Amino acid sequence: MKSKLMLSSSHTRKKINEYLSATQAKNTQLAYQYDIAHFLKSGGKIPATPRCIASYLAVHANTLSLATLNRRVVAINHAHKDKGLKSPTRSALVTDTLRGIRRINGSKQRQVMPLLKSDLMKITKRLTGLIGIRDKALLLIGFAGAFRRSELVALQVEDVRFVMEGVLIQVRRSKTDQNGVGRKVAIPFIKGHHCPGRALKMWLEKSGVKTGALFRRMNRFDQVTDYGICAASVALIVKQRVRDAGLNPEQYSGHSLRAGLVTSAAQAGVSSWKIRQQTAHKSDLMLQRYIRDSQLFVNNAVSQIW
């Protein structure tokens, strides 16, 4: 007699596929799908040969960043594994081609400008109307929490708790926390008109949002919808608001908020471990590029001898 706990084979397969899908973040899955689509559109196929992949890399070496090319190779590897095929991505031809591209083109990633506290104050001072209230809260919370775009758009009203000292925000999952352990981010109340916590409270009061997505899309009548904004919207909002303030939008993106907190804190002399407490960076290594750039003129050798 079969146990009542036994699952049907079809149900078991469905659950297995569900758990396998959960091993990767949704954004990662979408990125891989786009990567494979581009590979196939460029003449590639699955299964692929090492020469086919190497040719693809060579053709796009001058138009795609090294990080993107590396991700394309990872996506091709996953596409083979998903079909139970031997992956050609670890062949010497593919790895040597990538190594050569790195040596010739370099591996420097595009770095956006950090949105510094001083510029953020100017930007948020200009915002009006309900959409301005939303954007002010979004920008200030994104900056103060050093949130990634994906973290910002995933926030729910239920993740926010106002306390005497400020606001506590629960981040359920992030780029470096795919298992959903979660973490709390504390944003203290500050004096003045640019307090992130009070800006968020104002948005909740004026929008009437009580549950669900914290930051919502607005329709063309400036009415709050039931739908949360997407990660791309964060970048567009940042670009629009810096443009309105007279800055070059091409130099900024959604990541400028997170980079801005790190850079501004480093300029203010905040210790790296306190910055990491806010950003959840695992080590100082990832912070160094922000801190290094922010301190290029501090005790500069030229200024010491001139």
Side-chain angles (χ1 to χ4, degrees):
M1 181 177 178
K2 291 185 178 180
S3 169
K4 293 181 179 179
L5 294 178
M6 288 291 288
L7 298 173
S8 68
S9 59
S10 61
H11 184 70
T12 302
R13 286 195 296 270
K14 182 179 179 181
K15 295 301 291 184
I16 290 174
N17 290 333
E18 179 183 337
Y19 293 136
L20 286 174
S21 296
T23 61
Q24 295 174 348
K26 185 177 180 181
N27 286 343
T28 301
Q29 294 178 34
L30 292 174
Y32 285 170
Q33 290 173 15
Y34 178 83
D35 291 338
I36 291 300
H38 187 271
F39 175 65
L40 297 176
K41 187 177 180 180
S42 300
K45 61 181 180 179
I46 305 295
T49 64
R51 182 164 295 281
C52 174
I53 299 173
S55 298
Y56 171 78
L57 295 173
V59 168
H60 296 285
N62 292 323
T63 56
L64 298 177
S65 70
L66 184 62
T68 298
L69 291 175
N70 277 317
R71 197 187 68 215
R72 296 277 158 89
V73 171
V74 172
I76 294 170
N77 176 57
H78 277 283
H80 282 79
K81 288 173 60 178
D82 289 345
K83 293 180 179 294
L85 301 170
K86 182 179 179 181
S87 175
T89 58
R90 298 185 183 278
S91 69
L93 181 59
V94 174
T95 56
D96 286 349
T97 300
L98 272 175
R99 189 177 296 113
I101 293 172
R102 183 182 297 109
R103 287 179 64 89
I104 294 174
N105 294 353
S107 58
K108 184 177 180 180
Q109 292 184 325
R110 172 181 173 264
Q111 274 189 254
V112 297
M113 288 284 289
L115 188 56
L116 300 178
K117 175 190 168 185
S118 55
D119 290 326
L120 185 62
M121 299 302 100
K122 295 175 185 176
I123 291 170
T124 54
K125 186 177 181 180
R126 305 165 59 94
L127 303 181
T128 59
L130 185 56
I131 194 169
I133 292 174
R134 182 203 66 182
D135 289 356
K136 180 177 181 178
L138 175 74
L139 295 173
L140 289 174
I141 289 293
F143 175 90
F147 292 125
R148 298 178 177 89
R149 293 185 306 167
S150 58
E151 295 169 347
L152 263 180
V153 301
L155 291 178
Q156 305 288 299
V157 175
E158 293 79 2
D159 298 327
V160 176
R161 182 160 64 95
F162 290 97
V163 295
M164 184 182 299
E165 299 89 346
V167 57
L168 285 173
I169 297 179
Q170 178 73 30
V171 178
R172 303 187 191 189
R173 189 184 297 271
S174 68
K175 179 181 178 181
T176 55
D177 176 24
Q178 293 299 315
N179 292 327
V181 175
R183 65 186 179 95
K184 286 186 175 68
V185 178
I187 301 177
F189 288 132
I190 59 174
K191 295 179 180 179
H193 300 292
H194 305 291
C195 173
R198 293 190 179 89
L200 181 58
K201 185 174 288 189
M202 175 69 75
W203 160 244
L204 290 173
E205 290 175 355
K206 296 296 184 181
S207 67
V209 173
K210 302 294 184 184
T211 186
L214 182 61
F215 295 111
R216 305 290 183 89
R217 300 181 199 174
M218 310 277 288
N219 63 24
R220 60 194 181 97
F221 302 108
D222 269 0
Q223 296 170 327
V224 180
T225 71
D226 294 332
Y227 305 101
I229 63 173
C230 63
S233 295
V234 176
L236 292 175
I237 290 169
V238 170
K239 287 179 178 294
Q240 177 187 338
R241 296 311 185 181
V242 298
R243 181 189 294 112
D244 293 343
L247 301 173
N248 183 1
E250 297 301 319
Q251 296 180 334
Y252 296 86
S253 75
H255 186 69
S256 295
L257 297 173
R258 181 172 169 84
L261 183 280
V262 175
T263 304
S264 297
Q267 289 177 341
V270 179
S271 64
S272 61
W273 76 269
K274 289 300 291 184
I275 297 175
R276 284 197 289 112
Q277 187 179 47
Q278 201 73 355
T279 65
H281 280 105
K282 300 298 183 184
S283 69
D284 287 348
L285 184 62
M286 294 302 294
L287 290 180
Q288 287 309 306
R289 60 176 176 172
Y290 303 111
I291 296 175
R292 182 174 60 248
D293 289 351
S294 71
Q295 296 181 343
L296 286 174
F297 288 98
V298 177
N299 295 324
N300 185 279
V302 176
S303 63
Q304 299 298 308
I305 64 174
W306 207 260

